[in-house]
Amino acid sequence: MSSVPDLTGAVTCASIWKSFGEGEAKVDVLRGVNFMAALGEMTFLVGPSGCGKTTLISIIAGLLAPDSGTVSLFGERLSLLAPRERILFRRQYLGFVFQQYNLLPAFTAAENVAVPLVAAGWGRENAIGKAREVLTHLGLAHRTELVPQLLSGGQQQRVALARALVHEPRLIICDEPTAALDHRSGESVMERLATSAIHPDRAVIVVTHDSRVFHFAHRIIEMEDGLIRSSKKIESLNQP
Amino acid sequence: MISMAFTMLSHDGPKFLAMVLAIAMAAFLTQNQASFLVSFLAMSDSQIRDVREADLWVMDSSTECFDQAKPLKDTAAEIVRGFPGVKWALTLLKVDAPARTEAGKLSSVTILGVPEQSKVGEPRMNIGDSSVLDERDSAVIDPGGMALLYPGETFRPGMRIRIHDKWLQIKGVSNASPPFTGFPIIHVSHSTAIQLNRAESRCTTFVVGRFEADADRGKVTREIRAATGWKALTREEFEEASSRFYMDQGVPHLFYITITVGLIVGAAFSGQTFLMFVKENARAFTTLKVLGFTHGQLAVMVATMAGIVVVLGLALGTMLAVGTSFSAATMPFFRSLYLPWQVTLLCCISIGLITLITAGFAFKKVLNLEPADVFRS
Ligand SMILES: Nc1ncnc2c1ncn2[C@@H]1O[C@H](COP(=O)(O)OP(=O)(O)O)[C@@H](O)[C@H]1O
Ligand SMILES: [Mg+2]
């Protein structure tokens, strides 16, 4: 219970406990997790399905509250923020990539990418303009006006990646970003992620159990049964 | 944010359309039925208002409205004239009789006798001049009567109508207000009316009159009542009594029911569809929450969506209601039909309020979405 949060890490979790359910049905999903993700790195969180990876990143993102333990992002304790401030913090500092892309089906690629900017109060024209820029950067210049339904899975995930980058957040959280993609598309998305997201002032957390993309990791943290089992620094073989 | 709301809404075309149409239906039904109700209530006392010169009405104590009246004895006008505060009083004869045209069209008609000297109750005219009533066996008919007895025909001199066994020349078309009964209104001279009064020996349906300018009306009517046992009412009291008579018959309830059903079905259907829309877009709303939309921003989005639906629906429904009331007003029986702006305002406010409540529920649904579900598929 007594580990001191390390403020040099971008993300520091100390002794996180989280359970779901009550009484008989109570399940301890996280059992005292200590976790750190450093600036300038891609931290992979791996482990078998059901071991608590998604629960952990939900807590890191402030979408779930831990039963106990502390989370700090860039020195800020999320649990100490008022609900509204937590939303504003997330809007400014966090970007997300989801397994199911979670693009809004009614919006074009550019409109989807513009959402975080619109949320931050940008005017529509400026937001769309910036969104097109980021999409172009990710090789989707010719797809900006299409709705998600007309895009391939790999393209949709690149749009989602653009949405996670457009507001230049300091932490990007990806949950199984390649799980719904074939190998080639997955590889391409990870390459884009590696080239665009890695930045000395930014941390990237990738939850995955897709071992084919492990070579993109700077650090691999292995989880099992609600606990961190190992944390390995990967020497820079494949780093861009 | 507003254009985002519109894009999301219009993306689900069928639901969007269903919501707008449901609101439009509610707006149309309520306004249409309310305008009928208002117009019918106006009809319930229209014949009293048409006797413009009279502000005192005396009738048998059992008479409750203009259309169903028990006659008074024929000296009644003289008796009423004798009361202090009464400037003048005279006999009004109303006869209900079966009528037949040369083409064989049949209808009950309401015949009103216009006194030869005073011309009290003389109609305003659309075609011709009311002085024709001075001529022997002549009559004027109202537009509703023209439409009913001479369908498809326009007025031409020489048209005839047979009442009992007497043929009358129709010499003009009056502008009489539509009566509640829907029967044609035939104006004739008082003496002609007496000849047509076959079912009754007495020829005084009402005594109509005027108060002296400085008379205490309440006192005058009380005195007439006390002395004669008849009902003596000011024009306003009689109008109100006639309207109340019809209201008590249950006529308005039909309208109330339709209005309520229109509101509930239209608004409930639209509201239900809106909640369904939010539910089906739960993933999108959850994503917006996670990407940093504040509660205020989400409220603006939901309110914008509800606002777009309700404004389009109300506009469409009101246009339909106005159109219907205009086109109905071209039909003689509905010629007094109108849509008061107060009705439109009230209907729009009620539907607006119901929509606001629904939008509140929808917003609550959005607030209750679990942000962490964004990672679940
Ligand atoms: N909201 C919840 N209610 C109940 N159980 C949950 C909830 N969220 C996750 N769990 C359970 O917690 C465990 C870990 O889930 P999760 O964090 O999604 O695992 P992973 O992402 O590693 O596959 C699973 O057994 C899952 O069923
Ligand atoms: Mg998971």
Side-chain angles (χ1 to χ4, degrees), chain A residues 20 29 48-55, chain B residues 376:
Chain A
F20 292 109
V29 174
S49 190
C51 71
K53 306 180 297 289
T54 296
T55 305
Chain B
R376 319 254 160 232

Side-chain angles (χ1 to χ4, degrees), chain A residues 190-206:
Chain A
M190 287 307 291
E191 263 163 29
R192 304 281 178 179
L193 179 65
T195 46
S196 319
I198 296 169
H199 185 279
D201 194 32
R202 179 185 284 159
V204 181
I205 298 174
V206 179

Side-chain angles (χ1 to χ4, degrees), chain B residues 22-44:
Chain B
I23 295 279
M25 185 207 79
F28 168 71
L29 264 187
T30 49
Q31 291 184 58
N32 177 261
Q33 293 296 297
S35 92
F36 269 79
L37 177 58
V38 168
S39 306
F40 274 133
L41 286 180
M43 278 186 203
S44 66

Side-chain angles (χ1 to χ4, degrees), chain B residues 157-192:
Chain B
M159 279 179 149
R160 296 204 305 163
I161 187 167
R162 184 182 152 119
I163 295 169
H164 294 304
D165 52 2
K166 194 173 177 68
W167 283 100
L168 300 177
Q169 296 276 339
I170 297 178
K171 295 189 174 164
V173 178
S174 73
N175 187 23
S177 303
F180 196 86
T181 58
F183 293 152
I185 301 280
I186 310 278
H187 282 89
V188 297
S189 69
H190 185 67
S191 54
T192 308

